[in-house]
Amino acid sequence: MARVEEVVLDHATPPLRLRLYHPRGGSAPRPAYLHIHGGGFAVGSLDSLDRWKREIADEADMVAVGLDYALAPEHPYPTAIHQVLAALRWLREHGAAHGIDGARLAVGGDSAGGNMALNALLRLRDAGEPLPALGVIVYGMLSARHGTPSHRDRGDGRFGLSTEKLDWFWTQYLPDPALREDAGAAPLLADLHGLPRLLLQAAALDPLLDDTLDLGRRLTEAGVPHGMTVYEGVPHGFIGQTALLGKANAARREVVAALRKAFPAH
């Protein structure tokens, strides 16, 4: 990196810390990609996927941005969503002072972060605000359904993530069980029309696989352009293992290619 910069958005509730990864070479202003880390809405930090965000910034030649959003159960839904929106609006309106072209943004996330990335796009659409050019949804935790084939076949924990653990995460995030059927909390249930292009990535050995497959079908029905790749033989959480797994590197290269396509070099 040329530099790694941290800023605090004091106007967010609670205040929100962002980390901006600026790649070497090239010239500002650059597009920016905001990535929301996973962790079931309840764990994770600004250091989550640090290596991966550095690799994205370097290979896509853009500013990668992480955020230290407020975690459940201390901060249940929708606090973290409001913080994601605050980050996107700050990048759009104030990014120029940090070498970012606020008109060229993308947003994405893995697991619970994929939920919030999709949720943020839906809320910006509904508010009539400018939308990021691309959304990246990586093995998204998009619904609280536990009766899907992927939960039945892969939810016993032998691949790491279990249905029981996912249920615990949802309970932390949504103290009111009725919210599990709310499209704001479970964006797989939302009206998906009018979204920008999405890249969907999934792990074959993941109880959440059907969330991604069903999102792909619903996007097709809504006429939303998207691509989807299911990475065989890997579990939930695999994308951060770029030092070990070829498929993690393949997934990263796919994200980089989608970002470069969304923001062609000037």
Side-chain angles (χ1 to χ4, degrees):
M1 297 293 96
R3 60 194 172 98
V4 177
E5 174 187 13
E6 291 193 6
V7 298
V8 176
L9 308 189
D10 290 317
H11 64 281
T13 306
L16 176 63
R17 190 159 54 116
L18 303 182
R19 183 176 292 166
L20 282 58
Y21 300 82
H22 297 267
R24 295 188 182 93
S27 59
R30 283 184 165 99
Y33 170 59
L34 175 69
H35 188 84
I36 308 157
H37 70 76
F41 310 104
V43 297
S45 72
L46 198 57
D47 293 327
S48 298
L49 289 179
D50 180 79
R51 172 194 175 100
W52 186 87
K53 285 177 281 191
R54 291 170 183 268
E55 292 168 339
I56 292 289
D58 177 55
E59 295 175 20
D61 190 29
M62 62 191 304
V63 180
V65 182
L67 72 167
D68 205 18
Y69 61 84
L71 299 175
E74 293 80 5
H75 299 281
Y77 170 82
T79 301
I81 297 293
H82 292 157
Q83 291 192 307
V84 170
L85 290 169
L88 285 167
R89 288 165 177 151
W90 182 85
L91 290 167
R92 189 174 70 215
E93 297 165 10
H94 302 287
H98 300 265
I100 290 169
D101 181 349
R104 294 194 294 160
L105 301 179
V107 64
D110 58 290
S111 194
N115 174 308
M116 289 188 276
L118 182 56
N119 196 318
L121 290 171
L122 292 165
R123 289 172 185 244
L124 291 173
R125 178 204 65 187
D126 292 346
E129 296 184 45
L131 286 168
L134 176 71
V136 179
I137 314 297
V138 182
Y139 35 71
M141 186 176 166
L142 306 176
S143 78
R145 305 172 306 160
H146 296 150
T148 63
S150 59
H151 269 284
R152 291 196 302 268
D153 296 343
R154 304 167 182 88
D156 59 4
R158 70 186 187 277
F159 300 117
L161 186 63
S162 69
T163 298
E164 181 181 14
K165 189 67 171 178
L166 284 162
D167 186 63
W168 184 86
F169 282 136
W170 280 110
T171 300
Q172 307 315 300
Y173 187 52
L174 304 176
D176 179 358
L179 286 173
R180 294 188 179 207
E181 301 302 319
D182 186 310
L188 188 61
L189 308 177
D191 174 2
L192 301 174
H193 290 85
L195 294 178
R197 172 171 284 279
L198 297 177
L199 170 63
L200 313 183
Q201 294 183 331
L205 304 180
D206 186 351
L208 291 176
L209 173 61
D210 282 321
D211 274 16
T212 298
L213 298 179
D214 290 346
L215 176 61
R217 284 190 283 270
R218 295 211 53 233
L219 291 171
T220 297
E221 293 167 0
V224 176
H226 64 283
M228 178 168 59
T229 303
V230 177
Y231 286 87
E232 298 295 333
V234 289
H236 190 87
F238 81 96
I239 66 162
Q241 300 177 44
T242 53
L244 300 172
L245 293 181
K247 288 183 179 176
N249 285 288
R252 186 195 68 244
R253 288 193 295 269
E254 186 180 38
V255 172
V256 168
L259 290 167
R260 284 188 169 275
K261 184 176 180 179
F263 307 112
H266 283 184

